[in-house]
Amino acid sequence: MDFRHLIDGQWLDSLDGQRIEVLDPCTARPFATLARGGAKEVDLAVRAARRALEGPWGRMTATERGRILQRLAQLIVARGDELAALEARDTGKPMSVARADAAAVARYFEFYGGAADKVHGQTIPYLNGYDVRVVRIPHGVTAHIIPWNYPAQMMGRTLAPALAMGNAAVVKPSEDACLSALKLGELAMEAGLPPGALNIVTGFGAEAGAALTGHPGINFATFTGSPEVGIQVQQSTARHQVPCVLELGGKSPQIVFDDADLDKAVPIIVKAIAQNAGQTCSAGSRLLVQRGIYERCVQAIAARFAALRVGTPEMDLDCGPLINARQRARVRAFIDESRQQGVPVLAEGALAPGLDGQGFFVAPVLFGPVPREHRLACQEVFGPVLSVLPFEDEDDAVRLANATDYGLVAGVWTENGSRQSRMAARLDSGQVFINCYGAGGGVELPFGGVKRSGYGREKGFVALEEMSTTKTIVQHHA
Ligand code: NAD
C-alpha cells in the first residue's frame, strides 16, 4: 500500500519521490508508505485551493455545497467498514471504536451539509437613507493540521464546516496515522467535490506542517495537537496575520461527590480514560473524589480497571496499543517514575495473552491517591493512566479541578441540582458534563478549551462562524 497526496483532484507522489514508512502499532512493523511532502507539494496544494475558490467551487450556491457534503456523509455510511478497517490498521484501535469513529465522521458531513444553507446574515438599522447588511463570507484557503488519535474524525470535525462555508482546504494529516484521512479524500472526490476544494498533503510536521501554516497563501489555520506545536503554529501563522483555532488537549477532571450515583458513574469514568488507550484530548484523566465516598468509589473503579484488557483491533477489547514508540516511551516514563516515587498503584489492566513485548502496547494503570503537586495530577499523559485525588468539599473540588494549565472538559457527578449548577458555573472548562461524560459524540455541541487547552470553537453552529468571517455592506439610497 503506497499512498499519495491529493492535490487538485489528482493523486500525486512527492516531486523528489521521497516516502515515509507507516508502522503497524500492534507489531511495530511497516505495512505501507506515504508520500513525504514538503514546501513544494504544500505550495501546489495551496495554489490548487486558490484556483478552486476562483472556479466552480467558489461559484456554487450554499445548497449545492451542502448537497455534496451530504452525499459524502452517505458514502461514509455505505463504506464505513472500509474506513474503519483502515483506521484500525493504522492506529491499532479496537474495530468497534473505529466503526463508531466512522459513524461520527459521517455525522459531521451530514450536520454541516444540512447547515450549509442555513447560515444567514443580518440587516442593521442605521441612519435614514441607508441599508446595512452583514453577510458571512469564507476565509478563503483553510489549513488543517490533524493529529493521529482520531484521524478521520478530526478531519471531519474541521473540514465539514470549512467546506460548508465555501472555503477550499489543504489538510496535513499526521505522519503517524493518515490512511483514513486519505480515504475520506477519495470519498469526497466520489461525492462530487470539485478538484482543489480539498487537498491532502502527507508528511512530517516540521516539513509539510510547518510549510503549510507558514504559507502566505492561506487565510486560516486549524490545529489539534500538542501545546508546544500549537505555539509554533501561532508563530508561523502570525507572520501573515492568519487567524487560527487551536485545540491543545487537557487534563480533564471527573468530580465525584458523596451523593453520586456510583453505579451510573463508574463505568463511564473508566471508559472516559480507557477509550482509545487514553489518547483522547478530552480523556477524563483526573478522578477527583470526595472523602466520604472515596473508598467505595476507588474500589469500584479499581475492580473495573483491573478487568481492562488491551489487544489488537480484531480482538476488539477495551484498549489498543499506543500510536508509536515515542508515545509508549513517554507514557511508560510517567508510569515508571511515578511508581519509583512511591505513588500507590491501585489497579492495573493487562495485555491479551501473547502481546507482551510486541508493538506499542501499554497496560492501563490506576494511581491514587496522587499528591496534588505531582506531575500525574497536572500534566497530560495521553495514555491509559488515571490519577485519583481525594477532596474535602465543593470549594476544594473547584480549586483542585481548576488547578491545571488546561481547561477542556469537566465531568461532575452529584444528585444535588443546586450543586450541579454551581459547579457548572465555577469550572474553568470549555464543556461541562453533569452525570454523563463524553465529547466524542455530540457534533452539535460547541467544543474547545480555555487556558492552555487552546482557543476558538469547533463543532456545533459556532464552527461555521469560526470557519468564516463577515462583510458589512452599507448602501446609501436617498
Ligand atoms: P504534535 O502536536 O507533534 O502533532 C500533531 C500534528 O501537528 C501532526 O499532524 C504533526 O505532523 C503536526 N506538526 C508537528 N509539528 C508541526 C509544525 N512545526 N508545524 C505544523 N504542524 C506540525 O503531536 P504528537 O507529537 O503527535 O503528540 C505529542 C503530544 O501531543 C501527545 O502526547 C499529546 O499530549 C498531544 N496530542 C494532543 C492531541 C489532541 O487531540 N489534543 C492529539 C495528538 C497529540
Side-chain angles (χ1 to χ4, degrees), residues 173-405:
S174 169
E175 57 274 30
D176 284 311
C178 62
L179 305 190
S180 53
L182 289 165
K183 174 58 77 178
L184 263 189
E186 184 189 317
L187 298 180
M189 296 299 107
E190 229 176 291
L193 198 67
L198 165 62
N199 306 276
I200 307 175
V201 178
T202 55
F204 291 115
E207 298 173 359
L212 178 57
T213 54
H215 197 290
I218 65 165
N219 306 105
F220 174 89
T222 163
F223 169 78
T224 302
S226 60
E228 299 73 29
V229 176
I231 292 169
Q232 291 173 27
V233 168
Q234 289 172 86
Q235 286 167 338
S236 56
T237 51
R239 284 206 296 276
H240 305 289
Q241 322 294 2
V242 168
C244 34
V245 166
L246 301 172
E247 204 268 86
L248 308 177
K251 187 74 183 175
S252 299
Q254 297 254 25
I255 308 164
V256 181
F257 284 94
D258 283 348
D259 65 340
D261 177 348
L262 277 189
D263 290 342
K264 186 173 166 192
V266 167
I268 296 177
I269 288 169
V270 173
K271 182 163 181 260
I273 184 68
Q275 180 177 315
N276 214 28
Q279 304 170 112
T280 303
C281 45
S282 54
S285 53
R286 279 189 301 155
L287 176 59
L288 316 185
V289 189
Q290 197 166 13
R291 289 266 183 220
I293 203 171
Y294 188 85
E295 290 306 327
R296 211 153 59 82
C297 178
V298 163
Q299 258 178 27
I301 297 275
R304 279 199 171 248
F305 237 79
L308 288 176
R309 289 295 171 268
V310 182
T312 62
E314 299 70 34
M315 293 174 180
D316 209 18
L317 304 174
D318 304 292
C319 306
L322 300 187
I323 192 70
N324 58 27
R326 191 161 57 94
Q327 283 300 109
R328 183 187 52 185
R330 192 171 168 275
V331 172
R332 276 196 181 156
F334 263 102
I335 295 172
D336 295 345
E337 283 166 29
S338 305
R339 267 184 211 273
Q340 282 155 17
Q341 288 158 1
V343 183
V345 171
L346 292 164
E348 281 178 90
L351 307 193
L355 295 183
D356 268 330
Q358 194 186 301
F360 307 129
F361 296 99
V362 172
V365 185
L366 179 69
F367 281 103
V370 173
R372 291 186 175 200
E373 306 306 323
H374 195 274
R375 72 182 189 124
L376 268 185
C378 28
Q379 292 178 17
E380 188 177 45
V381 178
F382 227 61
V385 176
L386 180 60
S387 305
V388 194
L389 290 89
F391 69 83
E392 305 301 332
D393 55 20
E394 210 173 295
D395 284 341
D396 194 31
V398 170
R399 217 173 10 249
L400 194 51
N402 291 344
T404 73
D405 289 338

